[in-house]
Structure formats: structure tokens, C-alpha cells
Amino acid sequence: MRQNIFSAISISSLLLIFFMFGYDSAKWYGGFFTLLYHINMFMPFILGGLGIVSALLGIKGYRLVLVVLHLFLQLLFFCIYLKVFYGS
């Protein structure tokens, strides 16, 4: 039962990070993601770390898939943050 909860936390954080990647502040759902960015600019990394830890504690068959997806989104956000901070 506990493994199901950890997998659900990991999947929900994965979806949240995925939607943070392509949100539009002018849409109806933009206010929530703007709030997350105002709480902390590095919120995708915090949620990604939470998702990776909970994926490692989750259901055994989904661990590798969830960790790889989280790491892929972390890499995308890292590249975007490098581009924003240092420019090209």
C-alpha cells in the first residue's frame, strides 16, 4: 500500500513538472503555475527531487521509468535555466 502512495506522489509530481514546462500565463491554469514559480524559482528541481525519491520508494516495475522521466525533465529545466542565467 505504501509503495502505491509513493508511486502516486511521483506520478503527480511528474505531471506537475511537465505542465510547468509548457504553461502559458495567459491561460486559465496559468495562475497556479505562476504561484509555484513565485514560491521558489527552482520549484521544478524541488518537485523533481521529491519525485525521484518517491519513485525509488514506489512500485518496483515503475521505478526505472519514473526516474528516467524525472531526470529527463530535470535536464530540460537545467538547460533552460542555464540559457536564462547566462544567455547565449
Side-chain angles (χ1 to χ4, degrees):
M1 180 68 182
R2 188 181 72 210
Q3 291 177 340
N4 292 339
I5 294 171
F6 282 125
S7 292
I9 291 171
S10 178
I11 290 170
S12 62
S13 69
L14 181 71
L15 288 174
L16 193 59
I17 295 169
F18 180 73
F19 289 136
M20 285 178 80
F21 182 70
Y23 92 102
D24 183 9
S25 62
K27 300 288 184 184
W28 62 271
Y29 56 84
F32 175 69
F33 295 115
T34 305
L35 173 71
L36 286 178
Y37 278 119
H38 283 296
I39 291 173
N40 191 351
M41 185 175 68
F42 299 108
M43 187 60 75
F45 297 111
I46 295 169
L47 289 173
L50 174 71
I52 289 172
V53 170
S54 62
L56 291 174
L57 298 173
I59 298 173
K60 190 176 258 186
Y62 298 116
R63 286 180 190 170
L64 181 65
V65 173
L66 288 172
V67 169
V68 167
L69 288 174
H70 275 288
L71 288 175
F72 177 70
L73 283 174
Q74 293 284 339
L75 182 66
L76 285 176
F77 270 104
F78 183 71
C79 291
I80 289 171
Y81 276 59
L82 282 179
K83 178 84 172 172
V84 167
F85 288 139
Y86 299 113
S88 60

